[in-house]
Amino acid sequence: MAELPAINTSPLIFLTKGGFLDLLQVISSSVIVPNAVATYWPNLGDYTNYLLS
């Protein structure tokens, strides 16, 4: 069974601000966003469904 990739705050912010969040789908159809990242970045709620689908 393959492990799911995880992303931390810096690359998530970079990909989102640059309009490249779709590149995460190249890595995997699902990506883990740690609770600390979700708590740190209040706007993550807009992307949570996309990232955790």
Side-chain angles (χ1 to χ4, degrees):
M1 175 183 240
E3 294 183 16
L4 294 175
I7 189 166
N8 64 25
T9 307
S10 295
L12 187 58
I13 291 171
F14 174 78
L15 291 170
T16 302
K17 287 187 175 187
F20 299 110
L21 196 57
D22 291 341
L23 289 177
L24 290 176
Q25 290 181 327
V26 172
I27 298 170
S28 177
S29 60
S30 296
V31 176
I32 296 171
V33 178
N35 285 335
V37 174
T39 302
Y40 176 77
W41 191 27
N43 294 329
L44 184 62
D46 298 341
Y47 302 100
T48 301
N49 290 335
Y50 172 80
L51 293 172
L52 300 178
S53 60

